[in-house]
Amino acid sequence: MTDRRAFLRHALLGLGGAVLTGCDSISESETGTRVLESAETVTRRVQRFLSPSRALAKEYTEADISPVFKPNGTILPDTPAYQALLRDGFAGYRLEVDGLVERPSRLSIGDLKALGTRTQITRHDCVEGWSVIGKWTGTPLASVLDHVGPKAGARYVVFHCFDDYEEDTPYYESVDLDEARHPQTLLAYGLNGADLPVANGAPLRLRVERQLGYKHAKYLRRIEVVASFADIGEGNGGYWEDNGYEWYAGI
């Protein structure tokens, strides 16, 4: 783990106060890792018990939309692949969908729209403590999964992105199939009645409305359906999860 990652990990754990004192050393042991993973599983199960899998996040009215949808994290990827698409106005963009699927696909924004659209006005809650409300238009991820047909054994959907958060460290995220098929989980290409701005993740980003903002991956390049994400990144299911954040970020 790099010094930067170690700093992020200690800073995150420090937010828990005295209760989490010593957690970093615990997490480095085999027994401690199992305990922490078990605790996260319990948290996820409790949250889903209180908010069943089909329960919807609150939706708002046009009057509630924030004047500016604050961008966060990367606001302009500098990777050559993204820059080439940007110069072309994303005309050549194709979303790769592969992994444990019957029909691997490369989908344009037009292809995604043909699979179905949904518009929803929801609140984005950042782990940093701020919130903002926006109107999203996109294709339900469930429709994309129906199109490609997950194979037996598929459990998770991994989102690979165009932006590098560190040198040679592409951003990625993941959700389980249950969250992926939730009716409010979108592949969004529109924000507040216009095309998705670059700073907010153009040409395509994830909206997973019942989880915190770091789960909402921007600049989607590829979707991979997998049985396990143990061999992706550092094996924790996402860039920030590799730095100590919880994989399930339900709200």
Side-chain angles (χ1 to χ4, degrees):
M1 180 178 290
T2 65
D3 291 341
R4 180 173 179 271
R5 291 187 177 189
F7 171 78
L8 287 168
R9 184 179 181 86
H10 285 295
L12 177 68
L13 291 172
L15 292 175
V19 174
L20 292 180
T21 300
C23 279
D24 198 45
S25 60
I26 292 172
S27 69
E28 292 171 357
S29 71
E30 183 178 350
T31 301
T33 298
R34 288 199 301 269
V35 169
L36 293 176
E37 289 176 349
S38 176
E40 183 175 336
T41 299
V42 170
T43 299
R44 183 166 71 252
R45 288 176 177 172
V46 168
Q47 285 177 312
R48 287 192 169 168
F49 174 76
L50 295 174
S51 179
S53 61
R54 297 296 101 178
L56 299 178
K58 181 178 178 179
E59 297 192 14
Y60 295 81
T61 70
E62 296 270 351
D64 297 314
I65 295 173
S66 301
V68 176
F69 196 97
K70 177 181 177 179
N72 200 28
T74 301
I75 60 172
L76 178 60
D78 60 4
T79 55
Y82 186 83
Q83 287 292 314
L85 286 169
L86 181 60
R87 287 192 296 271
D88 192 34
F90 302 113
Y93 174 77
R94 299 294 184 272
L95 174 70
E96 296 184 29
V97 188
D98 57 19
L100 290 178
V101 299
E102 298 289 347
R103 297 172 293 278
S105 299
R106 297 182 74 248
L107 303 171
S108 68
I109 297 299
D111 294 331
L112 290 170
K113 290 178 179 179
L115 293 177
T117 62
R118 176 183 169 92
T119 296
Q120 58 199 30
I121 301 174
T122 52
R123 188 180 71 195
H124 180 97
D125 292 315
C126 182
V127 71
E128 296 171 353
W130 53 269
S131 298
V132 65
I133 293 173
K135 182 169 84 170
W136 300 96
T137 299
T139 297
L141 181 52
S143 297
V144 176
L145 292 174
D146 290 342
H147 178 73
V148 298
K151 293 182 178 179
R155 296 182 61 197
Y156 304 101
V157 180
V158 180
F159 306 91
H160 301 276
C161 305
F162 280 107
D163 55 326
D164 287 350
Y165 243 62
E166 298 177 39
E167 187 176 357
D168 299 323
T169 307
Y171 195 88
Y172 78 104
E173 255 305 338
S174 64
V175 297
D176 62 21
L177 279 177
D178 186 63
E179 199 74 27
R181 288 193 172 280
H182 187 272
Q184 291 174 311
T185 299
L186 298 185
L187 301 180
Y189 38 74
L191 174 60
N192 294 340
D195 289 343
L196 185 63
V198 168
N200 296 111
L204 193 69
R205 68 170 295 162
L206 175 67
R207 294 302 305 173
V208 52
E209 302 296 355
R210 303 187 306 166
Q211 298 201 40
L212 289 169
Y214 66 86
K215 300 293 294 188
H216 301 227
K218 301 192 295 185
Y219 312 113
L220 296 182
R221 174 179 61 84
R222 175 188 175 211
I223 291 177
E224 182 182 13
V225 179
V226 300
S228 168
F229 45 67
D231 295 326
I232 301 172
E234 294 185 8
N236 298 301
Y239 173 83
W240 286 113
E241 290 87 334
D242 288 341
N243 287 290
Y245 283 58
E246 289 188 355
W247 175 74
Y248 184 72
I251 51 177

